[in-house]
Amino acid sequence: MVRAKRSGVVVAFAGSIVLALTGCFPVVSVSTAGPDKFPRNEYGVLHTGPEPAARSYEDGVEVWDLTVPPSAEAFGIEVASTPSHSPSVGAYSVSSPGGHPVRLILPEGRSVEVMASLVTFDLTDNTEAITSASGEVTVPEGRLFTLQVNVVTGEGAEKGRESYRAVLEQLGLPLDSVRKLDAKITDAANADPIEDPMREGVGESVPAAGGFSLGVDISFPQSVKEMPFALRLTALWDPVAIPQS
């Protein structure tokens, strides 16, 4: 899977990056407020922070330019006045169960468009590197940004599979994992709810470019016959300097 570098050094934190890019690592989730609590914009999108510089709209499609340097201003994140290990969040959601169209513009000419229910940017200021007992850096120093996009797939295995395949094709990624997903779906029909893993899934990642990494993963619970699918895009940036107050 992905081997990530932070500040030019391969670190143990790369293990967390791999997990995040394959959907096994929890990115902070944000509960969405109802339309009565916060106003939505003309496209029905809810966001409570400052207007993001990296977002625009084209024919009703929410477009994020992820080729810009990561910053709180770019992603519409309101940051605390003092550095904190707790993440600051910029989240964009719609009340419609069908989601809203979102396009991500990526480095090296790539792009992907999906129907998204939630777009979440996290920002965490880490004032000093965290190391393991062996001296390896597990979390690098700097301002760390992540992105998670929850993609609407529709109900059932076939729609989940086709949604995943469509994202891979847009990103120019190999389709080997689609066949692996097919096998897992078949095996799930005979899964033991006690002995077998609670969730199954597969994932792929885009080659890192310009300090940016993006992965796509899909998973489903084996214990539910209808198998609702969770399809996500997850992005990570190399750390940047924490702005001086």
Side-chain angles (χ1 to χ4, degrees):
M1 302 302 290
V2 175
R3 294 184 180 274
K5 292 187 178 182
R6 297 276 189 196
S7 302
V9 180
V10 178
V11 295
F13 184 60
S16 297
I17 293 175
V18 172
L19 291 174
L21 292 180
T22 55
C24 302
F25 187 74
V27 176
V28 173
S29 62
V30 179
S31 60
T32 58
D36 294 333
K37 186 171 182 180
F38 296 111
R40 298 177 184 274
N41 68 12
E42 61 184 299
Y43 301 100
V45 176
L46 168 68
H47 172 59
T48 59
E51 185 68 16
R55 183 183 68 177
S56 62
Y57 283 93
E58 296 180 6
D59 298 324
V61 178
E62 183 177 304
V63 180
W64 287 96
D65 184 359
L66 302 185
T67 66
V68 302
S71 68
E73 295 75 19
F75 303 145
I77 302 173
E78 186 171 351
V79 186
S81 57
T82 57
S84 171
H85 290 292
S86 298
S88 300
V89 178
Y92 305 81
S93 68
V94 291
S95 57
S96 168
H100 66 300
V102 172
R103 183 185 308 134
L104 305 180
I105 307 300
L106 311 176
E108 301 192 336
R110 296 178 190 261
S111 67
V112 58
E113 185 170 326
V114 297
M115 292 298 291
S117 60
L118 182 66
V119 176
T120 307
F121 291 92
D122 289 346
L123 174 161
T124 304
D125 285 339
N126 193 43
T127 55
E128 59 181 74
I130 299 174
T131 60
S132 66
S134 63
E136 292 180 300
V137 176
T138 56
V139 180
E141 178 182 354
R143 175 162 284 186
L144 309 176
F145 289 90
T146 67
L147 163 67
Q148 179 172 301
V149 179
N150 294 351
V151 181
V152 177
T153 65
E155 297 182 2
E158 186 60 28
K159 288 184 179 179
R161 177 190 185 278
E162 289 308 310
S163 296
Y164 177 63
R165 181 187 181 96
V167 170
L168 294 182
E169 289 177 339
Q170 289 184 70
L171 293 171
L173 295 174
L175 301 179
D176 296 350
S177 59
V178 176
R179 291 186 286 275
K180 293 178 182 178
L181 178 63
D182 289 340
K184 290 178 181 291
I185 291 172
T186 299
D187 292 342
N190 300 313
D192 185 312
I194 297 177
E195 297 296 332
D196 293 323
M198 292 298 292
R199 294 192 70 87
E200 282 287 2
V202 295
E204 290 285 355
S205 57
V206 176
F212 174 84
S213 302
L214 181 134
V216 53
D217 77 272
I218 188 166
S219 63
F220 61 90
Q222 294 199 97
S223 59
V224 180
K225 290 184 179 180
E226 291 78 11
M227 292 189 298
F229 281 69
L231 176 57
R232 295 177 295 187
L233 297 168
T234 306
L236 300 138
W237 285 261
D238 283 353
V240 297
I242 300 173
Q244 298 297 314
S245 57

